[in-house]
Amino acid sequence: MRSSVFFKLLAGFLVVIVVATVVLDISIRRAWEASLREEIQTELTEKTRMFAARVRASRGQDMEQLAREAATAGNVRATIIQSDGKVLGDSEADPERMENHATRPEFISALQHNEIGASTRWSHTIGIPFLYVAAPIPGGAVRMAYPLASIQELTGKVRRTLLGASAIALAIAAILAGILAQLVARRLRRIEEFAARIAAGDLTARIAESSRDEIAQVAEALDHTARRLEESFVALEASRKELESVLNGMQEAVIAVGNDRKVRWANGPMRELVKGEVRLGADLVESVRDPNVLGAVRRAIESGQSTTSVATSLIAGRTYQVTAAPMSPRGAVVVLHDLTAIERVEKTRRDFIANVSHELRTPLTSVQGYAETLIDSLPPAMPQARDFLDVILKNARRMTRLTEDLLVLARVESGEQRFATEPVRVATLLTEAVAAMREAAKGSGSDVTVEPAPEAEVLADSQGIQQVLTNLIDNALKYAPGKIVVGAREVADGIEFYVRDFGEGIASEHLPRLFERFYRVDKARSRESGGTGLGLAIVKHIVLAHEGTMRVDSSVGHGSTFYFSLPRADKTAASSVAESPSFTKI
Ligand code: ADP
């Protein structure tokens, strides 16, 4: 490439120099020839005029003598011609032998216009080009001829000198062009070396041209670009280090993987977590074997959305919340948050609630029993005592329900209550739940109808889902008695069940918190109707344990619809045991 640029430049220079020399040579030669011819013609004209004057002045002198004298003086050929064309005298030939000159153009022109006539042509006698000039004299004309061969000779000489000078100029120009081409090629080579260093990642490379021509301007622009690139790179590197130290300083373990599930980066806590086994560029599964972590990464990459999960097999006895978020342009970043301590506190809390509920059961049963016995054995004359006992009995019953609900919730929440799921017909679940609530419906004067359900099976623990449906129907009977519709329909991810009422509805501000423990829209009404505030929390946890989702749709004055979805049985062939609730739901 180097020599190619050099030779191209050199060849270009040489072509230009050769063309310039040739053009110069031709034009100078032409100009020179023209001016020489003009000069000769002027001189010859002058000599012819003088020759004519001399002939006119001669009185009966020998014409040949006159011609010879004029020829010797002017160093030309001289001829005297009679008006009929007959040659009277000539400096070089015998006039008697010479042909008639009446047709010579210079002669005709001199006679016709009585003025100087000139013509250039080949001489028949000698066979070389001649310049003829004729001047009129009384009774004819005189003519002088000059051989133009001398012009050619002179021109040839000039041309040779010119060519010699051109050759020397060409040689000097070629040497200069070579030096110049070499200089340009060397500068281009420096730019090429600069580009190679930049491409190899050396952003400190500079061309540093000192001149101010176009190549220097290009070099300056490239240096500027390299400088900017280096600055951006330094800034980028600084922010990368900053980010890295922030991520390393986090308590959470962070690992980034590409679309190919190969590890791109991991922070310090992550390396500690897997005992330093994180191998950059290797498959994630080589570092992390927990199926929930791998599943979350897969889902994040495939769906392009953040997913969360819980990992319990990373380190024995420790629980991690896994958050996998898609990373641009492709891949995912996983954050592992240690939940062990929170889980421990949660477990202590659940155990405490379960223990308290359990311990309260026996005394509450006995309070309830004694109150009932006392009511039965009270004499009718003590109405006030009966009222007190009724209040005691009512509250004892409420407390019993509360302890029972708390026990159920604690068991479902902790995963202690395992749900054995199996394929169950949708219609069976609906009709059995409605049948179980028939008496209660009658009591509240409501009409519970089952809408035609899809002929499908869901993966469910019948008892668990019965509890969900009856809790929802019970709520509808308590808070929106009247027409109640129960049904199910097919949706994208399974079967969605619904319990719809046409009561007062729930204001939108309550909806996000409705499934929390002890959250009640109207506390007094809930208490009055025997509610504990735990029904919907239990419902939610049972549905989550079935890998289902839960939602509510309600507007004041138009009633409410509670929905929950369950996976279809034909999606997963074998029956399975539902695990503890997943964090991906609700
Ligand atoms: P509770 O034992 O009080 O019924 P839940 O958890 O079952 O507790 O319900 C929480 C609250 O949600 C209830 O107190 C009630 O205010 C409201 N609620 C539940 N279902 C309905 C419904 N179908 N219509 C109107 N409000 C409802």
Side-chain angles (χ1 to χ4, degrees):
M1 183 257 167
R2 281 171 204 169
S3 54
S4 149
V5 168
F6 170 72
F7 285 120
K8 273 182 192 160
L9 277 173
L10 190 60
F13 285 143
L14 289 182
V15 167
V16 170
I17 293 167
V18 168
V19 169
T21 310
V22 170
V23 169
L24 212 66
D25 176 56
I26 293 172
S27 50
I28 287 181
R29 198 151 42 84
R30 282 207 179 143
W32 166 263
E33 258 179 33
S35 99
L36 203 63
R37 195 180 283 262
E38 207 179 289
E39 201 178 305
I40 288 171
Q41 189 167 343
T42 316
E43 205 177 313
L44 196 62
T45 308
E46 204 44 49
K47 281 178 184 170
T48 313
R49 275 192 213 283
M50 279 164 64
F51 181 31
R54 196 153 152 53
V55 173
R56 243 184 259 123
S58 69
R59 301 266 174 244
Q61 242 183 305
D62 178 22
M63 291 294 167
E64 266 185 76
Q65 179 66 28
L66 275 175
R68 265 197 296 276
E69 279 173 19
T72 318
N75 201 18
V76 293
R77 182 180 179 177
T79 315
I80 303 165
I81 310 158
Q82 209 173 266
S83 54
D84 59 0
K86 187 180 179 309
V87 177
L88 297 177
D90 186 81
S91 60
E92 281 170 32
D94 182 2
E96 293 308 318
R97 292 195 187 161
M98 286 170 73
E99 60 184 61
N100 190 293
H101 274 35
T103 55
R104 301 296 194 267
E106 69 279 0
F107 177 71
I108 297 169
S109 169
L111 282 196
Q112 270 179 3
H113 305 109
N114 201 25
E115 242 308 317
I116 294 286
S119 161
T120 304
R121 62 176 186 279
W122 288 79
S123 154
H124 297 295
T125 335
I126 307 171
I128 54 165
F130 268 89
L131 171 64
Y132 296 98
V133 175
I137 52 168
V142 294
R143 190 188 75 172
M144 282 188 143
Y146 185 84
L148 287 179
S150 62
I151 293 187
Q152 279 173 344
E153 215 169 88
L154 258 171
T155 314
K157 234 187 248 172
V158 169
R159 195 179 177 199
R160 272 191 297 282
T161 318
L162 211 68
L163 276 178
S166 296
I168 292 169
L170 188 74
I172 294 172
I175 292 168
L176 285 178
I179 294 170
L180 207 65
Q182 183 64 27
L183 276 177
V184 171
R186 197 178 299 156
R187 291 169 76 195
L188 290 177
R189 217 172 301 143
R190 285 185 59 201
I191 293 181
E192 188 196 341
E193 280 162 13
F194 159 84
R197 279 178 65 190
I198 293 284
D202 178 9
L203 298 181
T204 57
R206 297 288 181 272
I207 306 167
E209 270 276 350
S210 49
S211 50
R212 310 202 58 78
D213 58 8
E214 284 81 354
I215 295 184
Q217 281 172 15
V218 170
E220 174 53 35
L222 288 172
D223 277 354
H224 182 68
T225 310
R227 224 172 290 126
R228 293 286 302 273
L229 222 68
E230 192 186 3
E231 281 164 15
S232 318
F233 187 76
V234 167
L236 213 72
E237 188 63 9
S239 69
R240 193 185 68 81
K241 283 207 175 113
E242 220 170 80
L243 188 71
E244 202 169 290
S245 50
V246 167
L247 287 168
N248 277 328
M250 279 170 71
Q251 277 189 341
E252 282 83 2
V254 183
I255 190 165
V257 290
N259 225 25
D260 50 3
R261 321 274 155 88
K262 298 232 191 296
V263 178
R264 296 271 182 274
W265 185 85
N267 70 350
M270 184 72 211
R271 287 168 203 279
E272 279 167 34
L273 189 88
V274 293
K275 308 274 181 304
E277 272 178 41
V278 178
R279 284 208 302 118
L280 300 186
D283 275 341
L284 175 65
V285 71
E286 287 181 30
S287 310
V288 180
R289 288 177 193 88
D290 187 286
N292 288 358
V293 176
L294 299 174
V297 170
R298 182 177 44 77
R299 285 197 300 276
I301 290 176
E302 285 171 5
S303 69
Q305 283 175 349
S306 290
T307 55
T308 48
S309 174
V310 173
T312 48
S313 61
L314 278 167
I315 297 178
R318 300 200 79 85
T319 309
Y320 287 90
Q321 182 181 353
V322 185
T323 308
M327 190 171 60
S328 81
R330 307 192 102 191
V333 60
V334 185
V335 180
L336 300 173
H337 179 61
D338 193 347
L339 288 180
T340 315
I342 300 169
E343 275 287 293
R344 210 169 282 149
V345 173
E346 272 288 298
K347 188 171 180 321
T348 315
R349 184 186 61 82
R350 280 197 302 267
D351 288 352
F352 173 75
I353 291 172
N355 288 341
V356 169
S357 312
H358 195 75
E359 291 301 321
L360 282 174
R361 250 178 168 181
T362 323
L364 279 172
T365 318
S366 100
V367 170
Q368 214 174 301
Y370 281 115
E372 279 166 3
T373 318
L374 274 174
I375 288 171
D376 290 345
S377 54
L378 259 188
M382 298 177 73
Q384 207 177 11
R386 178 175 290 274
D387 287 349
F388 290 163
L389 282 170
D390 275 342
V391 173
I392 291 172
L393 187 61
K394 193 177 158 199
N395 280 298
R397 282 196 183 130
R398 222 186 127 233
M399 276 190 80
T400 308
R401 273 200 305 279
L402 199 62
T403 51
E404 273 165 9
D405 278 359
L406 276 172
L407 255 180
V408 173
L409 189 61
R411 271 204 230 111
V412 178
E413 249 186 319
S414 65
E416 199 183 302
Q417 164 98 48
R418 312 274 277 192
F419 294 99
T421 58
E422 56 183 0
V424 192
R425 280 187 65 230
V426 174
T428 313
L429 286 171
L430 290 172
T431 47
E432 279 179 7
V434 172
M437 297 304 288
R438 192 167 295 131
E439 282 308 309
K442 229 184 251 172
S444 73
S446 297
D447 175 28
V448 185
T449 51
V450 182
E451 288 192 335
E455 199 42 63
E457 287 185 328
V458 284
L459 269 185
D461 175 294
S462 293
Q463 256 190 319
I465 298 305
Q466 282 307 325
Q467 185 159 4
V468 170
L469 281 166
T470 50
N471 270 14
L472 294 177
I473 297 170
D474 185 47
N475 275 353
L477 295 176
K478 281 194 293 191
Y479 303 111
K483 184 174 154 60
I484 292 157
V485 176
V486 199
R489 58 182 184 170
E490 294 195 60
V491 286
D493 52 353
I495 302 288
E496 189 172 61
F497 291 77
Y498 55 84
V499 176
R500 180 170 298 136
D501 64 58
F502 302 88
E504 288 167 19
I506 306 162
S508 60
E509 69 263 26
H510 297 293
L511 297 180
R513 301 195 58 194
L514 211 58
F515 295 93
E516 286 177 16
R517 293 179 208 107
F518 299 113
Y519 190 83
R520 282 164 289 191
V521 176
D522 183 343
K523 276 203 175 92
R525 185 160 172 202
S526 164
R527 209 169 287 136
E528 186 56 39
S529 58
T532 59
L534 294 173
L536 288 179
I538 293 172
V539 162
K540 181 182 97 174
H541 279 94
I542 296 177
V543 170
L544 292 186
H546 279 78
E547 310 242 303
T549 55
M550 178 95 229
R551 69 190 174 96
V552 58
D553 198 1
S554 183
S555 60
V556 176
H558 293 95
S560 322
T561 309
F562 287 81
Y563 299 92
F564 67 92
S565 70
L566 293 179
R568 286 181 70 113
D570 43 21
K571 268 199 177 166
T572 11
S575 67
S576 62
V577 174
E579 289 296 330
S580 53
S582 150
F583 281 78
T584 46
K585 315 293 177 187
I586 289 191

